[in-house]
């Protein structure tokens, strides 16, 4: 009788705990007043839609500028092809490396909401200055419509404006995406599944902004006026900022936790100071805080890799009392594992750079090829940058097919909550990038053949839609690799570094842009010594087809390296209840979100 009554009481307690978990969110987040968030009225899709709206506007303006930048630099600033390509790559590189700084500030000091707010204001200042460079007489390129030589004041204002946009993006991009993903509770089954879908739909919103940016905005730039296009972008960004602020009561917030670098330094210092101590035979003897301490956040399972760092968690006799332990002498298993996560990311980061170099060609040489091809369709002249919209269409299509068709099938086939592992998704995207470079090389070879037969009208004999396959394929590849990289760098970093994690993803593209510029310079130097440079004064005197073949071969070789690294990668493994419940072999379990 007493046992039956006890069972009934336990069932009541379990039910009460379940109801409590359904009502409140216990993931260390707070609402806009600093209280425990109410699940029904905060977070999830109701909050993330406000966040996706501002991302749509940012992508609209960014791609409206980025895809036309090489054309602007050659037509208005009068840079030659090589210089213009390098200028675009430098700007894109800075734009995608600045988030490393912005992500650090968001995680350590300001928090994600206020970082987005401040950086969007800086972004707006850049758009306003860009608009002024077209309408303020002293900042205009010249008095007439056609400039033989632009004013220095215009060049200064223009470059200052686009680099202000870079700085704004530096805080905006990593904080906004991680802030959006923060709206979903990892410990709630339905919200965890929704978070997996969030990155797919986030990129669909991103591509919708891209699509309008490279069609509507580029059309206005090409057929009306760059200044009018800048006014549109400024108004749209200001409106989205207002929408973002209106959504404030619905958001869940993560408080900044101080510099994420300090705990990693503590692990390193502690491990070095205890380097002569014997490693315990039982990992359970390593120091860890009780799982019941919610304030500590999620605890990680011990892994066997990088065992040298485990010494930082060895308990010495004089440290049996944990009340006043020195954090530079004794750290938890979770802190050690977080350090391992960051170190394990370095090979993955390096192995994805060649993919980023392939992506960089779409906004430079692919667009420039479109300028000299036949863009006339039924009397309508397509702006050359608008061909980039096909990449957005390819990405949207691949994301929808993956989300709605492939994932449900793969979940049943593999038993994995994601369908396939994150690194497998990235590897598939790399295959698409190889195919892109091969197709691009074949198309450019055909175009050069037409130019050889007719030097004057050879390129014009080919429709710009000959470039469609390479844009569609690179877009489909982005739907796998870029979305996969976003998931990877958000999910596999320590919980306190998620803005910085998105910045790591962006830094892949940023570093790849710089590497693309360096590669162009190196190839130009080597091929010029060999007789004739692959990069002439214009595309007709260049050999971009050879350059594309080089990239294809480099990416093929790199894919083999990536597969080797990915097979040996250990995914983040979060404790569910206690250390004893950790399963080191189940690195891609639903609980680890890997």
């Amino acid at each position: 009788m007493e046992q039956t009554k006890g069972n009934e009481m336990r069932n009541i307690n379990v039910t009460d705990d379940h109801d409590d978990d359904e009502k409140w969110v216990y993931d260390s987040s707070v609402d806009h007043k600093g209280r425990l968030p109410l699940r029904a009225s905060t977070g999830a899709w109701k909050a993330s839609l406000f966040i996706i709206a501002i991302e749509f506007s940012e992508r609209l303006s960014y791609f409206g500028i980025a895809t036309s930048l090489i054309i602007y630099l050659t037509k208005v600033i009068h840079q030659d092809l090589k210089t213009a390509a390098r200028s675009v790559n430098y700007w894109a590189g800075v734009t995608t490396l600045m988030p490393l700084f912005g992500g650090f500030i968001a995680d350590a000091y300001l928090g994600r909401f206020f970082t987005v707010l401040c950086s969007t204001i800086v972004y707006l200042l850049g758009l306003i200055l860009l608009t002024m460079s077209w309408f303020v007489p002293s900042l205009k390129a010249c008095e007439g419509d056609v400039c033989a030589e632009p004013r220095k004041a215009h060049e200064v204002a223009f470059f200052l404006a686009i680099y202000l946009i870079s700085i704004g993006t530096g805080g905006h991009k990593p904080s906004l995406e991680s802030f959006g993903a923060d709206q979903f509770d990892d410990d709630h089954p339905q919200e965890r599944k929704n978070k997996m879908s969030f990155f797919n739909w986030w990129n669909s919103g991103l591509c919708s902004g891209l699509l309008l940016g490279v069609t509507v905005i580029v059309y206005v730039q090409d057929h009306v006026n760059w200044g009018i296009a800048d006014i549109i972008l400024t108004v749209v960004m200001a409106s989205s900022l207002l929408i973002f602020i209106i959504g404030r009561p619905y958001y869940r917030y993560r408080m900044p936790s101080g510099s994420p670098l300090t705990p990693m330094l503590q692990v390193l210092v502690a491990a070095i100071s205890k380097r002569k101590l014997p490693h315990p035979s039982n990992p359970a003897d390593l120091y860890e805080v009780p799982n019941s301490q919610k304030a500590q956040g999620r605890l990680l399972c011990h892994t066997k890799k990088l065992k040298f760092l485990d010494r930082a968690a060895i308990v010495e006799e004089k440290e049996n009392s944990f009340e006043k332990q020195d954090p530079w002498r004794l750290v938890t298993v979770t802190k050690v594992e977080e350090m391992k996560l960051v170190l394990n990311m370095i090979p993955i980061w390096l192995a994805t750079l060649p993919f980023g170099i392939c992506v960089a060609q779409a906004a430079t040489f692919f667009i420039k090829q479109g300028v000299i091809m036949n863009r006339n369709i039924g009397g309508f002249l397509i702006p050359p940058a608008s061909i980039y919209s096909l990449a957005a269409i390819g990405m949207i299509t691949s994301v929808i097919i993956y989300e709605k068709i492939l994932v449900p099938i793969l979940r049943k086939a593999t038993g994995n909550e994601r369908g396939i592992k994150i690194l497998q998704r990235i590897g598939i995207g790399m295959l698409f990038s190889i195919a892109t470079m091969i197709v691009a090389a074949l198309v450019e070879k055909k175009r050069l053949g037409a130019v050889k037969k007719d030097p004057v009208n050879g390129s014009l004999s080919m429709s710009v839609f000959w470039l469609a396959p390479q844009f569609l394929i690179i877009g489909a590849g982005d739907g796998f690799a870029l979305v996969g990289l976003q998931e990877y760098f958000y999910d596999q970093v320590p919980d306190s570094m998620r803005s910085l994690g998105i910045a790591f993803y962006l830094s892949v593209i940023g570093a790849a842009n710089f590497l693309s510029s360096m590669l162009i310079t190196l190839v130009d130097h080597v091929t010029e010594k060999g007789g004739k440079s692959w990069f002439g004064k214009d595309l007709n005197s260049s050999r971009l087809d050879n350059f594309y073949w080089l990239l294809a071969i480099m990416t093929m070789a790199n894919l083999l390296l990536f597969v080797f690294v990915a097979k040996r990668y250990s995914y983040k493994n979060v404790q569910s209840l206690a250390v004893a419940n950790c399963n080191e072999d189940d690195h891609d379990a639903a609980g680890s979100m890997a």
Side-chain angles (χ1 to χ4, degrees), residues 23-51:
K23 184 176 181 180
W24 304 100
V25 181
Y26 297 102
D27 66 348
S28 303
S29 62
V30 296
D31 67 9
H32 70 292
K33 293 185 178 179
R35 305 168 304 189
L36 196 66
L38 191 64
R39 191 179 300 279
S41 59
T42 65
W45 291 116
K46 71 180 73 64
S48 60
L49 291 177
F50 287 97
I51 299 168

Side-chain angles (χ1 to χ4, degrees), residues 271-423:
I272 292 173
S273 66
K274 297 180 181 180
R275 63 189 179 278
K276 295 182 179 179
L277 294 181
H279 197 282
S281 57
N282 186 0
D285 293 334
L286 297 173
Y287 174 58
E288 183 61 280
V289 297
N291 203 347
S292 58
Q293 294 184 16
K294 292 279 187 180
Q296 298 291 334
R298 299 194 299 171
L299 304 184
L300 300 181
C301 297
H302 174 264
T303 59
K304 295 178 181 179
K305 293 188 176 180
L306 300 172
K307 293 182 69 173
F308 170 78
L309 296 175
D310 290 344
R311 286 180 166 80
I314 294 177
V315 180
E316 299 176 286
E317 290 184 6
K318 60 184 177 180
E319 293 171 335
N320 283 332
S321 175
F322 301 139
E323 293 180 2
K324 296 181 179 179
Q325 79 272 16
D326 182 0
W328 294 92
R329 184 74 185 178
L330 178 65
V331 299
T332 63
V333 170
T334 293
K335 294 299 181 186
V336 171
E337 292 303 318
E338 288 179 345
M339 179 69 166
K340 291 180 182 180
L341 285 175
V342 174
L343 292 177
N344 283 331
M345 283 183 169
I346 295 173
I348 299 295
W349 188 90
L350 291 171
T352 54
L353 289 176
F355 166 78
I357 293 174
C358 293
V359 172
Q361 309 315 309
T364 52
F365 290 135
F366 286 11
I367 298 294
K368 194 61 182 174
Q369 284 174 271
V371 172
I372 59 175
M373 298 176 77
N374 184 3
R375 295 178 281 117
N376 197 319
I377 298 182
F380 177 76
L381 191 65
I382 300 174
S386 292
I387 192 69
Y388 198 92
S389 62
L390 293 172
I393 293 170
M395 187 173 186
I396 292 172
T397 303
S398 70
V399 165
I400 291 174
I401 291 173
Y402 181 80
E403 172 71 18
K404 294 298 184 182
I405 300 175
L406 294 180
V407 169
I409 295 173
L410 290 169
R411 277 176 178 165
K412 291 179 181 178
T414 64
N416 187 306
E417 199 171 21
R418 290 186 182 277
I420 56 174
K421 296 180 180 181
I422 302 176
L423 295 181

Side-chain angles (χ1 to χ4, degrees), residues 25 29-39 41-55 112-114 116-117 176 179-180 182-184 240-254:
V25 181
S29 62
V30 296
D31 67 9
H32 70 292
K33 293 185 178 179
R35 305 168 304 189
L36 196 66
L38 191 64
R39 191 179 300 279
S41 59
T42 65
W45 291 116
K46 71 180 73 64
S48 60
L49 291 177
F50 287 97
I51 299 168
I52 290 175
I54 194 170
E55 171 65 8
R112 286 153 199 167
F113 175 82
F114 286 106
V116 172
L117 190 64
L176 189 64
F179 186 54
D182 285 346
Q183 304 308 309
F184 301 89
S240 68
L241 177 59
L242 181 61
I243 293 171
F244 179 70
I245 294 171
I246 291 172
R248 190 167 182 263
Y250 302 99
Y251 302 143
R252 297 173 190 168
Y253 304 83
R254 299 295 179 97

